[in-house]
Amino acid sequence: MKGLGVARRWAGLALTVLVAVVALTALPAIAQDAAKEPAYRSFPVIGSRLAVWGVAQLHLNFAAFILGCPIFAVIIEIIGWRTRDERYDWLAHEFVKLTFAAFSTTALLGAFLLFLFVGYYPKFWTYMTSIFFPTYGVYALLFFAETFIVYLWYYGWDWLSGPRKWIHVSLGVLSNLVGTAILFVANSWVTFMISPAGVDEAGALKGSVWAAINNFTWMPINIHRLIANIVFGGTIAAAYSAFRFLSARTDEERARYDWMGYVGNFVALSAFIVLPFAGYWLGREIYAFNQTMGITMMGGFMSWLWIVQAILIGVLFLGFNYYLWLGMERIPGSERYRKFVPPMLFILTIGFIVWATPRTLVVTLDEVRAMGGTHHPVIGFFGVMSAKNTVVNLMILTTFLSFVLYRRANRISVKPWARTGMAVQWAALFVAAAIVVFYGVYGYFVESIVRIGFSVYQVLAVLSCILIVMAIDIPMFKGARSTGTIRWGTIAPRSQYVLILLAVTFTWLMGLMGFARSGIRQHWHVFGVLRDTSAEAVTPALGYAANVITIVTIVFFALVTFIFWLGGLGEKGKAGAHGHAAPVIAGASGGED
Amino acid sequence: MGFLRSRFFHAVLILALAFCLFRFGIRPPAPWSVIRLYMTVVLLATLIYVSADSDSWRNFVRPIRSTLMDPSQRALRYALMVVIPLLLGYYAYTQAAARPQAPPELRAVHPAPPDTIQLRGKPINISGAENPLRKDQASFKKHVAAGGEIYIRNCMYCHGDNLDGQGHFAKGFNPPPANFQDPGTIAMLQEAYLFWRIAKGGPGLPKESTPWNSVMPAWEDRLSEEQIWQVIMYLYDATGQQPRRWETASGGH
């Protein structure tokens, strides 16, 4: 039976590859034919744009998951390999299993998206092909390589164990490198549509395709998506663990998935902390490319989207911290840190309030008159970037502090210099917070162009603080005295709902921000080069966009649940499938944190 | 006095204090849309506060559970069953009842300018454009004085003699005229942006701002190109604000 199952999976691989081959080899012929065709066709019932939007977003969600998850899976595998701790090997295998389950769906959605472009937007696709045709071959090659490597990585887990483990780990690293390259190629197409480069006024390629690839927003989106994929992969894996935790029948199973959920959340949180910096860089590059586009995004009709974004990110910050605080309950010795929770929550709440304050207030005429204008003389100070940059950096510092306290919850340093070390750590935190606040306040007294530069100092202060604190923390708690082992599986069940909430919130956020990125092109397929002359060229209202993204998010989670359920069916009755008997986690020493 | 230590009481107290602070502590009064947003955040934070550990959560839930389950609390239970729907009904009524004023709307604070505009047939670059009169520093005062005169003749009636948006006609407009003293208006914009807004006025606003979001006329019909740049110089000089400078493109592209 096992052999039959493997054969089926290889058949799945063959089908995926076949779909990709047919799709990619047909491209030149399709592109040539497209020239004779109408510019647009209409997709039945829902229209072409909605069809492309929905499928593209679903494809992107799955792609983000299968590209993000292996990044931390291979890191966890390396930790297990070097420490000879089988729990990590099991965990890495679990993460890759999730990736594997979603792999075919990603490819099929990608192929479907391609067919939609070719069939319903032939003129647009012909143009994109005229610029990016050389990259199609590269993409196909990378895709084949990625498919084979991931399959080998997953199925070779037992075969390449023991002395051959380094080969297996290398496969994991290689799959990540190839996966990242795929992301970069696909990003070149998307970013060219936002900020075209290397083309003349008629839109024809002037020289090498490299100029079109290396456009203004390419590298910022590469970095932003790479980090966001890790966050996304972490939250989805954590949500999966939460689901398994809540449906667990034994304490051992509960402990295992509690630990897996914690690791998934930790991964997501670690990457999430730097995500706003990458987003800020992307925003600056959009401004640098085209001021109009930047204003449309931040001050124009898209500006309300940032309030929604601020609320969702505020929820993420609160959720990450709440989960850590709940998690401390299962750590003996953490009681001494409970007193820090209310002040940290206070800072996060104030930060959330400031960040969510709109620049332009929703006001009635009476309120406008009472305020003496559309800008409130007090609240107005919270609506500008100085305030928002300041509070987001303070929220990052607070979240980092939560993590540091969690990390040392059951450990007492035995190093003679521990007191000095902690004093330096606290000093680093206060100095970083002071720098952030100083530049935040000073920003109100200087002109805009100078103020923009202050955000760099704020970011550097926060990153330096994180580095200094961790550089002291790691040696300080090496060989520390334990106050007890972590009681995995005893965390309050509501924490697991938080993990699911985080995954849903982040998926929704990705969809909305994707709409912002795409919507700022307005009535252009390729901004300033190829105009969208279809009947659906109008930029949708925010409410409509939010509804579409909500439906896509629901469909995504329905598909993910179905796929993971399918994957789980194969594992039922095979506790030791692939030689990966689940380890016993309950009462673990907590070395993994 | 045991209830003073109850988490439920803490939660109610936090919410009440936060509401009082937002409603009465901010002057002039904050718009209700903002108060609602702030209170939602505070409610979320309060729920986290009371449930961040199991003891606290049990403490919080105890009076709720008691009210719902305890036979001795039957009278209170019935009272709540009447009062809560009534309060919700009243809230629904206040939200749905017709009011003699336009509902609040979402405005684009800084609508995106076009890259170029036509001024009496002459194309003018908005993106990246500098005020040409600033090159001639010797004539700076002359241009500012001319701009001041143009302002007083044309703009003061709406934007006010203090440039604070409180002109004679200001009360009649929704939204009111821009307050140039506010650091969130011209200080955040390049001079070219102002040029576009003054030259094209309300009719030249992009669709995202809908034409009724400004009653300002298109001044290109009444002022010359030089006069528009002069009045812009006056706006910055009189308010003490600095125009935003253009960023130079980052390297590598």
Side-chain angles (χ1 to χ4, degrees), chain A residues 48-125:
Chain A
S48 305
R49 183 175 65 175
L50 197 53
V52 165
W53 188 355
V55 173
Q57 189 60 49
L58 278 175
H59 173 60
L60 193 133
N61 286 349
F62 274 100
F65 177 65
I66 68 162
L67 291 176
C69 210
I71 294 175
F72 53 84
V74 76
I75 294 170
I76 291 167
E77 191 189 3
I78 291 169
I79 294 171
W81 175 41
R82 301 315 303 170
T83 59
R84 298 179 191 283
D85 189 337
E86 290 205 347
R87 292 176 308 165
Y88 289 108
D89 202 55
W90 171 83
L91 187 63
H93 186 263
E94 282 290 296
F95 284 137
V96 178
K97 188 174 82 182
L98 298 182
T99 306
F100 190 77
F103 207 83
S104 300
T105 314
T106 312
L108 289 170
L109 281 167
F112 187 28
L113 180 63
L114 179 65
F115 292 146
L116 286 175
F117 278 136
V118 172
Y120 293 96
Y121 290 89
K123 186 179 154 195
F124 160 73
W125 191 254

Side-chain angles (χ1 to χ4, degrees), chain B residues 19-215:
Chain B
F19 179 77
C20 290
L21 177 71
F22 298 143
R23 181 69 187 89
F24 306 109
I26 301 173
R27 282 289 171 266
W32 278 106
S33 63
V34 173
I35 293 176
R36 270 197 291 271
L37 181 68
Y38 287 1
M39 285 307 295
T40 306
V41 176
V42 173
L43 177 65
L44 201 60
T46 307
L47 286 174
I48 288 176
Y49 169 68
V50 297
S51 64
D53 69 84
S54 296
D55 290 339
S56 171
W57 180 239
R58 275 192 291 273
N59 191 304
F60 174 74
V61 170
R62 192 175 301 130
I64 302 172
R65 191 185 292 266
S66 162
T67 307
L68 291 173
M69 316 277 283
D70 196 336
S72 66
Q73 303 287 336
R74 184 169 295 172
L76 178 61
R77 205 152 51 229
Y78 286 149
L80 289 175
M81 280 172 66
V82 174
V83 171
I84 291 175
L86 278 176
L87 284 175
L88 290 175
Y90 175 71
Y91 177 74
Y93 169 75
T94 59
Q95 295 303 299
R99 292 175 205 177
Q101 64 175 334
E105 61 172 324
L106 305 181
R107 280 184 62 227
V109 57
H110 293 146
D115 283 337
T116 55
I117 60 170
Q118 294 284 328
L119 191 87
R120 298 177 187 175
K122 178 187 170 190
I124 293 186
N125 255 342
I126 296 299
S127 186
E130 303 284 359
N131 188 339
L133 305 184
R134 286 195 189 269
K135 286 178 191 158
D136 181 12
Q137 279 300 313
S139 307
F140 177 80
K141 283 188 177 171
K142 186 188 89 182
H143 290 311
V144 169
E149 194 168 320
I150 296 162
Y151 181 87
I152 289 163
R153 282 170 187 250
N154 302 285
C155 317
M156 185 189 72
Y157 309 103
C158 297
H159 291 284
D161 49 0
N162 284 329
L163 297 91
D164 56 1
Q166 300 287 338
H168 296 125
F169 300 153
K171 297 285 183 199
F173 302 138
N174 179 27
N179 171 4
F180 301 127
Q181 302 282 3
D182 186 328
T185 56
I186 58 173
M188 300 185 84
L189 302 166
Q190 287 95 354
E191 287 181 285
Y193 188 99
L194 270 69
F195 188 92
W196 163 61
R197 290 291 293 113
I198 294 169
K200 296 295 175 183
L205 282 172
K207 283 181 187 169
E208 70 195 48
S209 288
T210 56
W212 54 85
N213 263 347
S214 170
V215 292

